[in-house]
Each structure stands twice: as C-alpha cells, then as structure tokens.
Amino acid sequence: MDFQALSPELVLAFEHIVGVEYVLTAQRTEAAAYADYGRDHTEDLHFAPEVVLRPADAEQISRIVRLCHENHVPVTARGAGTGLSGGALPIHHGVVLSTERLNRIIQIDERNLQATVEPGVINEVFQNAVKEVGLFYPPDPASKGSCFLGGNLAHSSGGPKAVKYGTTRDYVLNLQVVLPTGEIIWTAANTLKNSTGYNLTQLMVGSEGTLGIITQVVFRLLPYPQHNILMLVPFRQVEQAAEAVSAVFRAGIIPSGMEFMEREAIAWSSDYLKIPLTLPEDIRAHLLIELDGQDLDELYKEAEQVYGVLEKYDVGEILLADNATQKDELWKIRRNIGNSVRYNSVYKEEDTVVPRAELPTLLKGVKEIGARYGFKSVCYGHAGDGNLHVNIIRGDLDDEMWDVGLRQPITEIFELCVRLGGTISGEHGIGLVQKGYIGIALQETNLNLMRGIKGVFDPHGIMNPGKIF
Amino acid sequence: MDFQALSPELVLAFEHIVGVEYVLTAQRTEAAAYADYGRDHTEDLHFAPEVVLRPADAEQISRIVRLCHENHVPVTARGAGTGLSGGALPIHHGVVLSTERLNRIIQIDERNLQATVEPGVINEVFQNAVKEVGLFYPPDPASKGSCFLGGNLAHSSGGPKAVKYGTTRDYVLNLQVVLPTGEIIWTAANTLKNSTGYNLTQLMVGSEGTLGIITQVVFRLLPYPQHNILMLVPFRQVEQAAEAVSAVFRAGIIPSGMEFMEREAIAWSSDYLKIPLTLPEDIRAHLLIELDGQDLDELYKEAEQVYGVLEKYDVGEILLADNATQKDELWKIRRNIGNSVRYNSVYKEEDTVVPRAELPTLLKGVKEIGARYGFKSVCYGHAGDGNLHVNIIRGDLDDEMWDVGLRQPITEIFELCVRLGGTISGEHGIGLVQKGYIGIALQETNLNLMRGIKGVFDPHGIMNPGKIF
C-alpha cells in the first residue's frame, strides 16, 4: 500500500473534528508523553505517530476515518497500550487514534444480564461495576488493572478464568464498529443466539484493529459466583505439574483457574513484589488452582476431589489460601510475572497454545530448544487452556542473536506447537512481532482469504497496516 | 449469477469421481426417493436437483466442487434435510451434494476432551458416543435423533441446553473445509483459545453452506453432568410464564433447560404422541425447567430456590419428574411440538429471538398481530435464550393470504424483534424463506460486507446460491 504523509490541512481538519486540545503533535506535546503513544508492552519497540487524536465518540471517529480513507493515511487505533504483540504500534506512522475518552459504561442491564460499554473502559473498572449489582464479567488478563476492553476485543484476550469461562470473544453479543470507510454499523443483535447472516461480530473480535474501530460493545454477563477456593500446589518435577492439569479435567472438575508457573516465574514475581514466599529447594514448578461457585460446601467437595487427583504426583505441601488477603497475594504474584520479567530483563514473549494434554511435551521441547540455542526462558501461563507463555530472556545475548539468531529457535518452538495440534497465539494476537511466523500456523490459502476479507472492509488498506499478515 | 445447466460430460466426470452408484439422477432413481433430495422440513417447498452426488470424503468433494466452479454449476450441500429455513433446497437446481456418507466419528480424544467427526454424523449418535466415555456434547436441536452435525454447523443450531451451554458454534475448535474453488483448508487449530488471524471458523459456522463445505469438525467436549432435575411448571397467565424466566436467572440460577410452551403447543404434542397429560382448563402455558450438575444435593438446593422464585407467580401444581421415564416423556413432548404442528397443518415457522427479559412483550405483540391479521399461531421455544418459535398455522387461510398476505404481519413481528434488541433468527438460519426479511435485521452496509466476503470465498457464486441475502 502507498500511504500519504499527513498534510497540515488534514491536521487542521482533525482539529476541527475533535477540538484542538485533543490533537497531539510532536511539536506541541511533552516528549515523553508523546513517545508513549508510539509504544506498547512489546519488547522495547517504538514507532512515532505523525499525530495522535483523542476523539470523544463514534461520530468523530467516523469523520476522522473517512478523511484518512480518502487521503490514504494509516490509522492505528490504540487502547491502553498493554499489548504484547505490537498490535498498537503505528509502524507506518500516520494517525494514532486513542480510545481513552470513550470510557463510559453506558448501561448495565440487570434484567437481561447484559452491559453496553465503550472500548476505553478499563477491564477491572468494568468487572467491579457489574460485580456491584451481583453480575460477573469473567475475562481477566494479567493487565486487567490498566488494559482497555477495546484492546481485549482486538486480541480476544483471555486470562486465568478463560479455562472455565472462555475468552473475551465468548462474552460479546454485538459491536458498534466504525468501518475503514467511515460507515458505522452494528454487527449483530443483543441476543444470546443469532443465526442471521455471517458472523461479523466474531470476525471483528481478534482482528487487531485491521478491519475497523470498535466504538461500543454489548457484553453478556453471568451471575457473580459467590465463593471460591484457591490452592497453590508445589511440584518437584515440572512435567508432573503439566500432567496433573489434564488429570484434574478428566476427573470431571472444571476449575475457574488453572495456572502453571515455573520456579523462576514465581520466584521473580514474589521478589519483585516483595511478598515473602517459602520456596523449598526441590520445588520446580507450581499450579495455582481456583474453584468457584455458588455453594461453599460443594466447593470443598470438589477441592477434596482435586486433592485426590494430586495425590498421584510428587507434590510438596499444598497451600490452601484461607482468607481474601492471601488469595489476593497469590493472584498478585501470578499476575505480576510478566512485570517482574520485564523488570529483570528485556524479553520476547511467545504466546504458545496446544491441546491441554500436550503441555508437558511442549514445555519439554521449549527447554530442549533453549538448551540447544543457548537461551534462558521463563515459562508460565494458563495451563488449563494449554496456553503457555514462553518468555525468552535477553540476559547477555548479543544484538545479532537477539535480532536475528533467535528467529530459528522461535520457529522451532512454533513448529512444535503446530505439530501438537496447536498454534502460535492463544490470546496475545499476531500484531507485528509474530507476523513473520504466521506461515507456520496458517496455509497460504487461509492467508489469502484473510487478505481478501481485509480488502472488502478496507479497500485502501489504511487500518492498522502491516499487522497480522 | 449466470449458471450453466449440467452437461452429460459433467455427469460422467462425477461418476468417475464418486462411482456410478453414488450418482443419482431423476431418470434412474425411484421418484419419491429422488424427490426427498429436493426438500427439507420447511413448509411444503420442493426444488428438483439436476443430479444428487453422495461422495465419500473431502478429496472427492474437492474434485466435484472444482468442476462445478470451473463450469459455473450450483452446488447445494445437504445433511439430513431437517432444516426449517429452506437452507438445503437447490433453488437454482444443479448439484445436490449429500454428506450422508461422511458419517464417521474419527476420534474421541479423552485426554483433551475433544472429538473429530465428519459432518454426516447424526447429532444424537455423537452425543451417545461421547457419553459412553463420560463426556458431554451439549447442543441438542429438537431433531437431534435425525439431524446431522453438518447442518447444525450450517445454522449454528441450538436446542434446549443452549441456555446454559451455548449453541453449536460454542463447541467448534477447528473445521476442515472444501472451499468453493476446491481447495481444502483447516480454519484454525485444535486449541481452546486462538488469536492467530481472523476467525474463519466462526465465519463458516452459520454461513449455511454458502462459503464452503465442511468435511471435518473438531469439537471441544465437557465432562458429562451426572445428575439432573426436571420440573414442569403450569401457569395460568401466559405472560407470567415469560416473566418468570428472567426472574430465575436474576436469582443467580442458570438452568440447563428453560423451555416455554403455550397451552396449544403442549396439548397438540401430547395428543400427537398419545402421551396422556393432565391439563386443567385454566392453564395457559408451561415452563419446562431442567437443572443439571455433578452433585444431586446441590441440585435440590437449586430447585428449592427455583420454587422460591415461582411462588411469586400464579402457577398450578408443579410436576417434578422423579424418574428417567417421566423425564424422557416430558422432553419427548417438548421435542415433538414441531412434528405435531406439522401433523395438524402446513405452517410457517418464525425463529424470533430477543433479549430474554423482552419475551413477554414479544409474545404479546405476536398475538396482537395475529388477531389483527386473522391468523392463529402456536408459540414455544427456548425461553432462557429469548428464542421464541412462532408457528403460523395455515388452517383455512387461502392461497393469497398464505403466499402473499402473511408477508406484512411477519414483517411486523420481525420489526418488533429488532425494536426489542433482537433479530429474525436465533438458530434456524435465514436460508430461503427468511431471505426477504433480512433487511429488517441488517443494514445495507452489513449486507454489502457479507456479499463481499461471499465474493472472496466463492468468486463464481456457485455455493448454495440464492440463500441468506
């Protein structure tokens, strides 16, 4: 695609649409604040926007996008910038369109267990708002305290509760979208079921801002589960931890959380948070297992069944969190693994996913590949979903190895995923940094269909160009 | 689209691909058997195929479709023919491609709670096969004893259990598809999560055979729920039955079935089945409520909560089914409403769906419209999903009213659905008979996107032409 540089006339037109105070340029913005709009949480990558726009609503976004469409100017929509695949990076410059002002919870419909929200609402703010009226929005990425629902939609983000409750896409009923041509549509209806034409809703979810900009969402909600039980299970052998995951499900139990953490993952995070945690020398990995429901007695029965399954493995002393503070601390440790790794070193995060029972094989393969190519990895993730986050630590790897040399071992890791029936991203998306590997997961025919769909939605290719494929 | 009539050379080529015994033509097939390939369960519609092919596998289908693509011959894929929107009718004639020989359960993967099957497997056969190893495939349309999984995928069929467990689309991980050009792809990976490119899987599900032919499916499964409780609740006022639905959910209970039946629906079906049922004069509607789970004590607690909710309404004596036979009979009555209506009269079935709490308003509106235009309707359906099947009874309506006059009241019913936040099909699809109404539910922009997607997959427009839009 040939893109046009931004003309001063276009910047004036944007100022007319959104108001001059909501048009940020490098010239008149504090440098650090402006630079933030050119990065996300992916490695140490940065690309400078030509202009940053902070519109108020779908109508303004429609007018902006229409101008960009007519003038062949790239538009990269941006939420909180917590993405891990570079999806929000404006690699072709142009307009960065921040959704931070679209942050209203428009309606919580208690009669229908639904809510209508804007994409700039923080995930946890939304969770708390619906919890106040006894309702439950399950998707909870590690960054839930800062990430936007719009970004969650862009990548179909998951989180620990996905194992029982599914990912973001499982809660979306209907989307208001500004198309790359500026037209505004609703993708579906506010119903639990819909067999009325092609599923544009699920096509938008996970399309990483390449097909349009989501400006409102109707989510379905659940009754809030009143009780939960949390246990931290230490394993002396890493692969046994991975094996135990599958055994719990085969016993008929669906936990609301089933997280795997290598020794380094939990150790780095508890150090980073300064939360003391006893970690005997012989413990190599942990599972964090949560059960939830409406009846505590029932949960204790389930917990006993889980203990029964775990007896078959070489486990250390199981910690059963017995109050809210302890539960919060354990989840805080789990959620901050990524931050603690980032604090220690630059890293590349691979979002591998395989059928659940293949996790031990994947983990073994990752370590074997690391040993062969001489890099260290910290592994953790949503074991119940077969979703393993492999963090490759920069440590003292040189530029050549970091920028080029790692491509071969990463390729081997992804090829292993695909051989095991899996794929290269479970919840982070392809964005920029996994784009070079997508051919491992998808045939050229699939990619051509996707390119064709992209062309239908975005004939000038202006919407988040250079991502996914 | 301009289509070509089938040449004798093409029929010979098909015989070469699938074997002469699997190529049916009108000349050499018993007339009634041949005619069956030209109808489904939609009203009394019939369209004659030029040829019926019964291929054995994806490879044969690919070769057939490639020939049709090159020769501009329509291909209409067909499962068991139990569809209610005319999706399987070969309205442009050409090839009817029956999937009846693709009927293998290829693998039940107990380690990963997954199964790989072909589209010609009967829904109930699959359910029973996975149940034997303690696993659960929830989607259960009323026609589960005869309908194929392929047809379920085409329309994203639901059934009573959708209220707790979702519809067909919620169980699909990966699809093998023969594209309209003859290419064979897998849409995704065998994983519970996937953020790797656009969601082609969910685009295929519900596309009613217009984007390709599904030749294998990977479904996720659940542990089989060991216990259930079933209760039949009679209401003296129809709208109270609809109101009680929403109240149960707001009490934090998610039933595994929540079915609404008007008096006529349950009366006609029990008569048709010759199952005696006491039906006091003052009872106007019933709810059939099922609870399921792994623990019977827990279910009794939930049932008590349901009784607590129902106390607020003017209900008759609640029947708590206390053995398997009684449960089977109640479900049989529910599932045979459609058959009993068909037995009594030709009918048009509208698959209306609204947000759950709007059901009383919808029902009232349907009856009011019926009274105004002079037709009788029998209403029943999946109340927990807001999905109401409105059966318009032909009775003694004349041809003019049946063929033309009903368009206006049906339009008004659908407009009411959309005003209430709903849409025109929840689980039956648009197919042929709802096509004329799709503009009520979808903006022209949405339809243009769908047409564009269709063009990407099917440049010659051969795949089930004339359906949806």
Side-chain angles (χ1 to χ4, degrees), chain A residues 111-112 155 169 186 190 193 195-196 198-199 210 246 295 298 301 356-357 382 385 387 421 425 427 446, chain B residues 111-112 155 169 186 190 193 195-196 198-199 210 246 295 298 301 356-357 385 387 421 425 427 446:
Chain A
R111 290 166 67 239
N112 284 304
H155 302 295
R169 72 165 75 252
W186 282 94
N190 298 355
K193 285 164 149 180
S195 292
T196 308
Y198 300 162
N199 196 325
T210 64
S246 210
D295 186 280
E298 174 66 10
K301 273 193 225 172
R356 186 189 288 145
H382 314 300
D385 303 323
N387 186 195
S425 176
E427 58 178 22
N446 295 47
Chain B
R111 290 165 69 238
N112 284 304
H155 303 296
R169 72 165 75 253
W186 280 95
N190 299 353
K193 286 164 148 178
S195 292
T196 309
Y198 299 162
N199 195 327
T210 65
S246 210
D295 187 279
E298 174 65 14
K301 274 194 225 172
R356 186 189 291 143
D385 303 324
N387 186 193
S425 176
E427 56 177 24
N446 296 47

Side-chain angles (χ1 to χ4, degrees), chain A residues 111-191:
Chain A
R111 290 166 67 239
N112 284 304
L113 280 67
Q114 296 182 2
T116 306
V117 300
E118 291 185 323
V121 175
I122 290 172
N123 176 295
E124 199 170 34
V125 169
F126 180 53
Q127 285 193 28
N128 290 340
V130 302
K131 186 178 172 182
E132 266 183 35
V133 293
L135 297 177
F136 184 38
Y137 174 72
D140 59 341
S143 56
K144 67 177 179 179
S146 54
C147 65
F148 288 178
L149 292 168
N152 297 173
L153 290 162
H155 302 295
S156 190
S157 304
K161 295 206 186 294
V163 59
K164 178 169 178 177
Y165 293 105
T167 68
T168 305
R169 72 165 75 252
D170 297 304
Y171 292 84
V172 184
L173 299 180
N174 202 357
L175 296 170
Q176 188 191 54
V177 177
V178 176
L179 297 175
T181 50
E183 293 162 289
I184 303 176
I185 64 167
W186 282 94
T187 55
N190 298 355
T191 54

Side-chain angles (χ1 to χ4, degrees), chain A residues 2-225:
Chain A
D2 271 348
F3 296 116
Q4 300 296 316
L6 218 57
S7 64
E9 292 73 24
L10 215 47
V11 175
L12 274 176
F14 293 146
E15 289 176 354
H16 182 70
I17 294 168
V18 298
V20 66
E21 68 271 42
Y22 298 117
V23 176
L24 312 186
T25 61
Q27 292 71 40
R28 59 191 191 212
T29 313
E30 193 262 312
Y34 194 76
D36 275 347
Y37 285 100
R39 64 168 69 94
D40 62 8
H41 284 194
T42 311
E43 302 175 28
D44 48 359
L45 301 173
H46 181 265
F47 297 83
E50 288 171 81
V51 67
V52 176
L53 304 181
R54 298 170 58 206
D57 55 29
E59 192 48 48
Q60 290 186 1
I61 293 175
S62 163
R63 292 169 65 196
I64 292 165
V65 168
R66 198 180 297 269
L67 282 176
C68 292
H69 172 72
E70 286 163 1
N71 291 280
H72 295 256
V73 169
V75 183
T76 302
R78 177 183 178 84
T82 57
L84 297 165
S85 57
L89 301 174
I91 62 172
H92 288 282
H93 314 289
V95 171
V96 162
L97 192 150
S98 167
T99 59
E100 63 203 286
R101 289 175 67 212
L102 284 85
N103 61 356
R104 291 178 308 149
I105 296 176
I106 295 171
Q107 192 201 15
I108 299 174
D109 177 355
E110 294 179 59
R111 290 166 67 239
N112 284 304
L113 280 67
Q114 296 182 2
T116 306
V117 300
E118 291 185 323
V121 175
I122 290 172
N123 176 295
E124 199 170 34
V125 169
F126 180 53
Q127 285 193 28
N128 290 340
V130 302
K131 186 178 172 182
E132 266 183 35
V133 293
L135 297 177
F136 184 38
Y137 174 72
D140 59 341
S143 56
K144 67 177 179 179
S146 54
C147 65
F148 288 178
L149 292 168
N152 297 173
L153 290 162
H155 302 295
S156 190
S157 304
K161 295 206 186 294
V163 59
K164 178 169 178 177
Y165 293 105
T167 68
T168 305
R169 72 165 75 252
D170 297 304
Y171 292 84
V172 184
L173 299 180
N174 202 357
L175 296 170
Q176 188 191 54
V177 177
V178 176
L179 297 175
T181 50
E183 293 162 289
I184 303 176
I185 64 167
W186 282 94
T187 55
N190 298 355
T191 54
L192 294 166
K193 285 164 149 180
N194 195 331
S195 292
T196 308
Y198 300 162
N199 196 325
L200 300 181
T201 310
Q202 294 299 337
L203 191 58
M204 287 304 307
V205 179
S207 67
E208 308 194 31
T210 64
L211 297 180
I213 297 175
I214 294 166
T215 47
Q216 275 187 45
V217 198
V218 182
F219 284 116
R220 75 181 178 101
L221 303 168
L222 296 175
Y224 196 85

